[in-house]
Amino acid sequence: MKYTWRWFGPVDKVSVRDALQAGAHGIVSALHHVPTGEAWTVDGIRQRQEEVRAGGLTWDVVESVPVSEDIKTQTGDWRAHVANWQDSLRRLSQCGIRTVCYNFMPVLDWTRTDLRWETHQHARAMRFDLPDFVAFDIHILKRPGAVADYPEAMADEAARRFAAMPDERVAALGRNIGAGLPGSADGYTLEQLLEKLRTYQGIDATRLRANLVDFLSQVVPVAEEVGINICAHPDDPPWPLLGLPRILSTRDDYAHMLSQVDARANGVTLCSGSLGARPDNDLPQIAREFADRIHFVHLRNVTREAESIPCSFFEDEHLEGGTDMVEVIAALLAEEKRRRDEGREDHQIPIRPDHGQEILDDLNRGAQPGYPAIGRLKGLAELRGIERALSHPRLGAFA
């Protein structure tokens, strides 16, 4: 497997050289400063490549070329944004990049109520607290009709939480939930978030799913033409939020997407943490079933605080939580072996240790939430240990 490391560019407090020392083989990055909907330029791509090379690594995966809300809703300038997305693929290919991750989550990217929640080991982790999220939706955002979306007992618990909530917690929930894509300058005030939600009136899961297929029908042929694999990241958390539909949350969601645009270039970003927040997602089985279409992998683990959907959860250490990481990696190594036997050029799957708890000196560095240096180094070391054991000539099956 090719171990990669997410880097947010020169502003990142964790450097490319840090990633190299941690054991990464390549970098995952994006042009976060380019406004969503605009095409990336060759000059901009090459500048980022040079910044990465200066630290001793190469830029291997784009995460991500953002998909605009206009594309998701098929309103406004969506056709121009699709054309710009196609042009970005062509220019990335011209610069030698072959893997592009994206997501199709409406309005919000990954959503957490806590960005630095303290664990019992006094590390800091990201957390999704369901009662706090419901309190935000009903009492802070005051989304029309929100109370009807939750069971009465949950709405009552949220009301109790909100009544006891200090002002600083109210403000923090607004900041945390309204944050934009990691690394971007985007984000929403409460008023802006409500306005964005209104643009999805009349768009249910069926309509959003059709819009995704329409988008892929236009960009996948370009990806095939220029030799790029594009791969969809799952919803995070993998269930509807704020009355918005979510369409990449389960095995069936991915099966539909892949069957509707049946081309190898149309693939999956397997995120064990996002999908693992649902107890009905069998991660090793999903990895085996969609192995041929997995182009990029995020490995992290979450501990669910209930087996209901939705539920509260926190981002645990990489080998803890509800996902059997050994089985997932075994499935990926089996797929890599199959690809090597076929002589495929893309036999080595790029994988990155996703997120990570803040530990030791991370606690004072102030890096992007979820992307500390030492916490990810620890996760990467653990994941590499699993791979080495499974690939050992005497102990493993994938030598």
Side-chain angles (χ1 to χ4, degrees):
M1 298 188 293
K2 184 161 191 177
Y3 286 99
T4 60
W5 186 275
R6 193 168 191 183
W7 184 60
F8 294 100
V11 300
D12 199 327
K13 295 184 179 180
V14 182
S15 69
V16 174
R17 188 166 295 178
D18 291 336
L20 177 65
Q21 292 175 356
H25 305 143
I27 287 294
V28 176
S29 194
L31 303 185
H32 299 290
H33 58 282
V34 177
T36 299
E38 290 190 10
W40 291 10
T41 66
V42 169
D43 286 346
I45 296 164
R46 287 182 172 156
Q47 179 179 340
R48 176 55 49 86
Q49 287 178 310
E50 288 305 313
E51 292 164 347
V52 172
R53 287 193 190 101
L57 292 171
T58 56
W59 184 12
D60 294 330
V61 179
V62 170
E63 186 179 352
S64 55
V65 179
V67 179
S68 71
E69 298 304 316
D70 284 3
I71 291 175
K72 294 169 193 171
T73 58
Q74 291 196 350
T75 58
D77 292 330
W78 74 274
R79 289 182 176 86
H81 290 181
V82 170
N84 288 341
W85 220 88
Q86 294 169 323
D87 285 342
S88 295
L89 291 182
R90 295 184 181 102
R91 292 164 188 170
L92 286 163
S93 176
Q94 183 179 339
C95 296
I97 294 175
R98 296 286 174 256
T99 306
V100 173
C101 172
Y102 71 97
N103 78 66
F104 216 78
M105 288 180 262
V107 181
L108 299 176
D109 194 71
W110 55 261
T111 302
R112 299 291 185 272
T113 56
D114 299 88
L115 302 183
R116 290 185 164 93
W117 176 75
E118 188 167 320
T119 73
H120 70 278
Q121 297 119 323
H122 305 291
R124 292 183 188 143
M126 294 202 289
R127 184 168 189 259
F128 180 86
D129 182 279
L130 182 58
D132 271 10
F133 181 83
V134 177
F136 168 82
D137 192 9
I138 297 174
H139 301 285
I140 301 173
L141 183 63
K142 299 179 181 178
R143 176 173 64 90
V147 70
D149 287 347
Y150 303 103
E152 183 177 354
M154 177 56 65
D156 289 345
E157 173 61 20
R160 286 191 291 272
R161 288 279 187 97
F162 179 69
M165 198 173 284
D167 290 345
E168 58 267 25
R169 178 57 177 165
V170 171
L173 279 174
R175 289 192 304 271
N176 296 346
I177 295 171
L181 280 165
S184 74
D186 295 337
Y188 303 117
T189 65
L190 295 180
E191 293 76 15
Q192 290 169 335
L193 182 53
L194 284 171
E195 181 58 33
K196 284 290 183 182
L197 296 179
R198 282 191 283 270
T199 66
Y200 277 82
Q201 290 179 355
I203 298 179
D204 59 8
T206 299
R207 169 76 182 280
L208 188 62
R209 193 173 287 115
N211 291 354
L212 170 60
V213 171
D214 196 15
F215 168 70
L216 291 172
S217 298
Q218 297 177 73
V219 300
V220 168
V222 174
E224 289 183 298
E225 177 188 338
V226 301
I228 282 181
N229 289 325
I230 65 173
C231 38
H233 188 283
D235 302 322
D236 187 9
W239 48 70
L241 296 175
L242 304 180
L244 296 167
R246 305 278 249 186
I247 59 169
L248 289 173
S249 296
T250 66
R251 175 264 169 207
D252 289 349
D253 289 339
Y254 273 102
H256 178 269
M257 182 198 79
L258 297 176
S259 66
Q260 292 299 301
V261 183
D262 191 8
R264 183 184 290 173
N266 175 35
V268 176
T269 297
L270 182 72
C271 180
S272 59
S274 297
L275 294 172
R278 288 181 68 110
D280 56 347
N281 280 332
D282 183 334
L283 266 297
Q285 179 55 36
I286 289 172
R288 289 188 289 266
E289 181 176 357
F290 300 129
D292 186 54
R293 305 283 280 276
I294 294 174
H295 301 319
F296 183 37
V297 179
H298 294 175
L299 292 179
R300 63 180 171 88
N301 227 323
V302 301
T303 289
R304 299 184 298 269
E305 297 176 23
E307 293 302 284
S308 56
I309 303 171
C311 66
S312 298
F313 63 86
F314 71 94
E315 302 201 10
D316 213 328
E317 298 171 81
H318 283 75
L319 303 189
E320 303 302 325
T323 293
D324 187 334
M325 203 63 75
V326 175
E327 284 293 324
V328 171
I329 291 175
L332 297 171
L333 290 174
E335 172 60 15
E336 287 193 327
K337 183 178 186 302
R338 189 189 68 79
R339 294 184 189 185
R340 285 197 305 272
D341 292 344
E342 286 186 356
R344 281 175 53 172
E345 292 184 2
D346 65 342
H347 65 85
Q348 194 175 33
I349 302 172
I351 289 173
R352 71 172 176 85
D354 195 17
H355 298 179
Q357 296 185 350
E358 293 181 354
I359 58 175
L360 306 175
D361 289 353
D362 290 332
L363 296 170
N364 300 313
R365 182 176 282 200
Q368 174 83 19
Y371 294 93
I374 301 171
R376 281 187 290 169
L377 181 154
K378 177 174 180 278
L380 177 56
E382 293 172 337
L383 299 172
R384 291 179 70 188
I386 293 173
E387 181 195 14
R388 288 293 181 94
L390 291 173
S391 303
H392 192 279
R394 289 191 296 112
L395 301 177
F398 307 106

